[in-house]
Structure formats: C-alpha cells, structure tokens
Amino acid sequence: MTIDVLTLFPDMIEPVFKHSIIGRAQEKGSVTINVHDFREFSVDKHKSVDDTPYGGGAGMVLRVEPVVRALRALEGHEQALKILMTPQGIPYTQSRAQTLSKNDHLIILCGHYEGYDERIRDYFDVEISIGDYVLTGGEIAAMAVIDSLVRLIPGVLSNAQSHEDDSFSMSLLEYPQYTKPRIFEGKSVPEVLLSGHHENINIWRKEEALKRTQKRRPDLYEKYLKKSEN
Ligand code: SAM
C-alpha cells in the first residue's frame, strides 16, 4: 500500500512513523508513507496557502489551488482513494480502518486554520472525522487513521500481535489481560488464566469481554446482541 499525506507540517508526521510497528512495516515494504508539503504548490511568491473568507468572519481559509495542484502532482492520484480530514466527516471506526486497509493507494489531506475552501471537497472521495472535537490541524487525525489501518495490513502484525481479539473487531471491547507477577500488592491474576485449560480460558475471556462491553459501552453491546441474533 502507498499512503501520500498532504500537509503543511511534514515534520509533525515523518518522525512518528519511523518507529515501532509502522516503522518496521515500511522497512518490510508492506506500506510506503510519503509526506508532502503542499505549501510547495502555492500560487504566489509568498508561498501562502490560505486567505480571508469571502463574506467576512474569523480565521483563514485554505485555498483550493495549492491543494489541487499538490494532488495532481501525485503519481496515481486518479485511482487513489482521496481522504479529507475534517471534524465534519463520517466518524472513524475500526470497521472503516479494516475497509481502508484493503486499498492500494490512499491520499490524505490534513487541513489547518479555520477550514477548507468548500470547492476543495469536490476533489476528495471521503471525509473522515476522528471524533466530535476540534483539533488545530489534521495531522494528528491523519496519523491516527494511518496507524490504525496499517496494523491491519496482512503481515504487518506477527501472529503474536494478532489484531483479531482487539477491542471493536467483534463489536466487543477486549477482555482483561495480565502478565507477571502472579500477585502484585495482593492483587492476583485470575486462577483460570494459570490453569493451562485453553477452552476454559476462552470461555472466561468471552464472558469478561461481554461484561466489560455491557458496562462500559452499552451501545456496542446492543449492536453485538443484534448481530448475534441474525
Ligand atoms: N472550522 C472547522 C470546522 O468547524 O469544521 C475546523 C477546522 S480545524 C481548526 C482545522 C483542521 O483540523 C481541519 O480542517 C481538519 O483537517 C483538522 N481536524 C480538526 N478536528 C478534526 C477531527 N475531529 N477529525 C479530523 N480532522 C480534524
């Protein structure tokens, strides 16, 4: 998979993806993440990319020309799925991460300032929000999207790091996990996990996942029950 990110702050993104699982995924060739500064595509000598809004009002608006010029300079941009990061987009979920992880080429635009010239939207296929809150820019949002979808590309996680039990993958939150020591300040690891009885361990984990989801996320729990009925 290739991911091209259009941003005004490449330094915010590049160092983050040099590390850990996403860094190794790039070394292995499972994904190539290219970060582009779309200020390079400004149409004036001051390299500006924003301007005041028509009709007045607070803040600056991202201009359409630098974004479209940057987009068109990317190889394969016609076929790529083009994503615009915005709090006005569809809410991002694990199931959307799964769908996006199956694409060959993504282009992601990180906004800044007060917002986009509305005409920018015509050049993108999907608008994504990572939650009902407003960030100063799209970089952190784009990084969350990239991180969550790259780990789902086959071969990126080893079997030992499998994502199949992750929270949300079955509409349930993940069961509680423990590691050494067996007892810490009087708090013991549940006996069943020390039993070596895999069937009982699986039953316990499923029950705990159900209990936890029902308590913390009744909305997800209802969804799970509906899915199980069908
Ligand atoms: N005034 C805009 C509005 O109300 O929709 C918000 C602009 S925000 C300050 C600047 C940029 O940050 C956005 O264009 C978007 O790229 C990014 N951003 C902020 N919150 C986001 C969120 N929840 N999800 C995705 N991107 C977000």
Side-chain angles (χ1 to χ4, degrees):
M1 174 191 281
T2 301
I3 304 177
D4 286 298
V5 188
L6 299 174
T7 171
L8 294 173
F9 301 95
D11 293 350
M12 275 181 76
I13 301 175
E14 276 162 348
V16 172
F17 290 136
K18 287 201 175 120
H19 303 282
S20 184
I21 292 169
I22 312 298
R24 285 198 295 279
Q26 291 189 84
E27 280 163 23
K28 275 202 286 188
S30 305
V31 65
T32 304
I33 303 172
N34 305 310
V35 186
H36 312 273
D37 184 351
F38 65 85
R39 191 177 292 283
E40 306 289 323
F41 295 88
S42 164
V43 285
D44 67 35
K45 63 176 192 290
H46 306 294
K47 292 253 174 232
S48 65
V49 288
D50 58 332
D51 214 326
T52 50
Y54 279 123
M60 300 293 273
V61 174
L62 265 184
R63 291 176 60 138
V64 62
E65 311 98 304
V67 171
V68 172
R69 290 175 75 202
L71 198 58
R72 290 188 174 147
L74 294 174
E75 205 183 310
H77 68 90
E78 296 96 336
Q79 294 80 31
L81 184 78
K82 295 171 270 296
I83 301 170
L84 183 140
M85 300 310 303
T86 167
Q88 303 177 24
I90 44 169
Y92 191 61
T93 58
Q94 185 69 9
S95 104
R96 189 152 297 271
Q98 265 149 2
T99 309
L100 290 182
S101 72
K102 298 189 175 87
N103 279 269
D104 290 332
H105 188 184
L106 301 175
I107 297 175
I108 305 182
L109 174 65
C110 306
H112 229 85
Y113 315 117
E114 197 41 43
Y116 301 106
D117 182 309
E118 191 63 18
R119 292 164 292 188
I120 290 177
R121 298 196 140 88
D122 295 343
Y123 298 86
F124 288 81
D125 303 306
V126 55
E127 301 190 15
I128 291 181
S129 163
I130 62 159
D132 289 347
Y133 43 83
V134 178
L135 302 163
T136 55
E139 288 72 19
I140 290 172
M143 285 192 278
V145 167
I146 294 168
D147 188 283
S148 60
L149 71 90
V150 168
R151 66 192 287 285
L152 300 177
I153 298 172
V156 167
L157 294 186
S158 64
N159 281 345
Q161 300 165 313
S162 163
H163 54 76
E164 273 149 31
D165 286 339
D166 277 344
S167 295
F168 311 114
S169 53
M170 304 291 290
S171 298
L172 289 177
L173 301 182
E174 197 179 45
Y175 47 79
Q177 300 270 25
Y178 295 86
T179 186
K180 292 184 186 71
R182 282 184 176 206
I183 303 174
F184 178 72
E185 295 189 348
K187 299 175 220 297
S188 306
V189 174
E191 271 311 312
V192 64
L193 298 179
L194 310 172
S195 67
H197 193 300
H198 293 298
E199 204 185 318
N200 285 351
I201 292 172
N202 286 339
I203 293 170
W204 181 85
R205 284 180 167 164
K206 181 71 186 283
E207 285 170 357
E208 290 299 314
L210 284 167
K211 270 197 251 167
R212 178 163 283 202
T213 311
Q214 186 177 23
K215 186 159 177 229
R216 296 185 185 194
R217 291 291 303 272
D219 57 321
L220 278 184
Y221 185 71
E222 283 304 314
K223 232 175 158 181
Y224 171 82
L225 290 184
K226 278 203 185 109
K227 248 194 206 169
S228 320
E229 277 165 18
N230 298 329

